[in-house]
């Protein structure tokens, strides 16, 4: 199968590309190497498979139809896996317009490409942030998601809606995947686990917003990729699935587990809660288990140990 992966140089995108190539697929990776974090990290991610005979890299922007056209005509894709996005909840509050441009308009450009080039299947990377401060736990795909509390979350909800429209109007099979706090080797350096780990190793204080009681459903990258692959194999009609570990952990418990994985104690700098931060995330993965055969297996302590080993042995810098 020929697959177009947007955001192929990123954290999830690079892991998915590696898996697809290992499975014998042909992959075209589209990425603009956005400087949201050090481009050297993304180039390092690409180096893991850039010379593979079945991989082609297209340096381009999902908001530019000409770049998307180049990616779509490099190899006629059978499927688009659209992972590229402008990421980050807090930065989206400070600069919401670029988030709308990339996450909503860029997604529309990709859907237009699927329509124009008659690409029958489309996977869209959504986010657990669409649930906002959902009072019902665990979060299920049927819950109301009309109250996102950050521009980033709102753009992901908008992406799901425009995906439904294209599926309905143009008979494209589209699956939206709501990722719950993915972590593991190559995780973005701005995300909590990676950021905290580097600060702990450098004997610097880690910023902890609130009293440590916020809970997140941390999901190891291998389990995320298993879910994406299952969704790709079963992409039919229009569907939304949660991909999470379904085991939410308090922030203070995460820090304790990270200390164990790194073999060092953290220095805590307590700060006020930040706008846009949700109180908890907790994935109900019943639908994904029943319909995708999704079964996350990586305990947090195991995943953090793998992450810590990678971090200590990588030359990647922030």
């Amino acid at each position: 199968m020929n697959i177009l992966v947007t955001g192929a140089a990123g954290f999830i995108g690079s892991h998915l590309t590696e898996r697809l190539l290992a499975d014998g697929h042909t992959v075209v990776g589209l990425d603009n190497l956005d400087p949201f974090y050090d481009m050297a990290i993304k180039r390092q991610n690409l180096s893991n498979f850039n010379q593979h005979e079945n991989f082609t890299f297209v340096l381009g922007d999902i908001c530019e139809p000409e770049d998307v056209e180049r990616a779509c005509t490099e190899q006629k894709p059978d499927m688009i896996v659209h992972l590229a996005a402008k990421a980050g909840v807090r930065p989206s509050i400070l600069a919401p317009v670029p988030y709308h441009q990339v996450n909503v308009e860029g997604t529309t450009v990709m859907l237009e490409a699927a329509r124009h080039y008659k690409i029958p299947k489309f996977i869209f990377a959504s986010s657990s942030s669409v649930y906002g401060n959902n009072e019902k736990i665990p979060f299920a795909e049927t819950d109301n998601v009309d109250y996102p509390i950050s521009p980033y979350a709102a753009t992901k909800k908008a992406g799901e809606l425009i995906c439904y429209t294209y599926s309905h109007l143009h008979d494209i099979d589209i699956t939206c995947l709501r990722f719950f706090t993915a972590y593991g080797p190559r995780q973005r350096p701005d995300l909590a686990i990676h950021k905290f780990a580097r600060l702990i190793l450098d004997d610097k204080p880690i910023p902890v917003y609130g009293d440590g009681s916020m809970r997140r459903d941390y999901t190891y990258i291998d389990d995320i990729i298993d879910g994406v692959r299952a969704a790709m194999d079963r992409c039919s009609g229009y569907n939304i699935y949660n991909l999470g570990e379904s085991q939410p952990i308090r922030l203070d418990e995460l820090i304790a587990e990270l200390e164990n994985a790194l073999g060092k104690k953290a220095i805590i700098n307590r700060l006020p809660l930040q706008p846009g931060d949700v109180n908890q995330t907790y994935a109900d993965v019943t639908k994904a288990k029943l319909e995708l055969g999704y079964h996350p297996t990586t305990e947090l302590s195991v995943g953090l140990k793998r992450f810590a080993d990678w971090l200590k042995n990588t030359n990647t810098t922030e």
Side-chain angles (χ1 to χ4, degrees):
M1 184 182 291
N2 295 330
I3 302 162
L4 170 56
V5 178
T6 71
F11 168 41
I12 296 175
S14 63
H15 280 276
L16 177 63
T17 298
E18 275 190 313
R19 178 77 68 86
L20 292 172
L21 292 171
D23 290 345
H25 298 290
T26 299
V27 179
V28 175
L30 174 63
D31 202 300
N32 70 343
L33 304 182
D34 185 287
F36 179 69
Y37 59 92
D38 189 350
M39 286 187 288
I41 296 174
K42 298 180 181 182
R43 294 189 186 280
Q44 180 63 40
N45 291 345
L46 286 172
S47 72
N48 292 291
F49 46 78
N50 213 6
Q51 302 303 314
H52 196 288
E53 61 181 359
N54 288 334
F55 178 74
T56 303
F57 180 65
V58 175
L59 178 63
D61 194 320
I62 61 170
C63 294
E64 298 295 335
E66 297 82 3
D67 293 346
V68 175
E69 180 182 1
R70 282 193 295 121
C72 288
T73 55
E74 181 67 39
Q75 297 277 350
K76 177 63 169 67
D78 302 299
M79 174 182 289
I80 293 173
V81 182
H82 179 39
L83 303 175
K86 199 160 183 65
V89 167
R90 292 171 190 159
S92 78
I93 297 172
L94 299 175
V97 173
Y99 279 78
H100 176 84
Q101 291 170 335
V102 175
N103 296 356
V104 181
E105 295 179 21
T107 296
T108 306
V109 170
M110 294 307 306
L111 288 164
E112 269 293 281
R115 179 192 66 81
H116 179 76
Y117 292 102
K118 295 180 170 48
I119 301 167
K121 297 183 183 295
F122 193 101
I123 304 291
F124 172 66
S126 188
S127 166
S128 62
S129 65
V130 301
Y131 289 106
N133 275 320
N134 201 26
E135 294 184 359
K136 171 188 159 294
I137 56 170
F139 302 166
E141 295 88 347
T142 53
D143 293 349
N144 188 315
V145 291
D146 288 340
Y147 304 99
I149 63 171
S150 71
Y152 170 75
T155 65
K156 285 301 183 179
K157 167 68 185 297
E160 293 181 354
L161 291 174
I162 195 67
C163 280
Y164 174 79
T165 303
Y166 270 76
S167 180
H168 171 74
L169 289 176
H170 305 299
D171 197 28
I172 303 171
D173 293 324
I174 300 181
T175 298
C176 301
L177 300 175
R178 293 173 176 169
F179 297 145
F180 281 70
T181 317
Y183 76 99
R186 297 184 221 151
Q187 187 191 41
R188 289 190 351 241
D190 61 296
L191 293 177
I193 288 175
H194 194 150
K195 183 177 180 179
F196 286 2
R198 286 196 176 277
L199 291 171
I200 291 170
L201 290 175
D202 291 341
D203 296 312
K204 295 178 179 178
I206 62 174
V208 175
Y209 298 96
D211 62 1
S213 64
M214 284 195 307
R215 301 201 306 166
R216 292 289 180 271
D217 197 345
Y218 298 99
T219 313
Y220 190 66
I221 186 62
D222 288 358
D223 291 330
I224 289 283
I225 298 303
D226 286 345
V228 176
R229 289 293 291 112
M232 292 172 65
D233 290 341
R234 296 165 178 80
C235 184
S236 178
Y238 177 82
N239 280 289
I240 298 173
Y241 296 100
N242 290 334
L243 294 185
E245 213 71 22
S246 203
Q247 295 183 9
I249 302 293
R250 284 172 54 108
L251 180 57
D252 49 14
E253 293 173 346
L254 169 74
I255 293 169
E257 290 280 7
L258 194 52
E259 289 174 330
N260 289 336
L262 294 169
K264 291 190 70 173
K265 296 293 289 184
I267 304 168
I268 306 296
N269 178 26
R270 296 213 173 269
L271 298 166
L273 287 171
Q274 295 289 291
D277 282 352
V278 298
N279 298 325
Q280 64 179 332
T281 62
Y282 185 172
D284 182 339
V285 295
T286 302
K287 182 181 178 184
K289 285 183 176 180
L290 289 173
E291 298 183 13
L292 301 181
Y294 174 68
H295 291 286
T297 59
T298 311
E299 295 290 337
L300 183 68
S301 59
V302 174
L304 288 179
K305 180 64 168 61
R306 293 174 185 167
F307 170 78
D309 290 344
W310 167 81
L311 187 65
K312 290 176 180 178
N313 289 291
T314 185
N315 292 323
T316 302
T317 59
E318 290 191 55

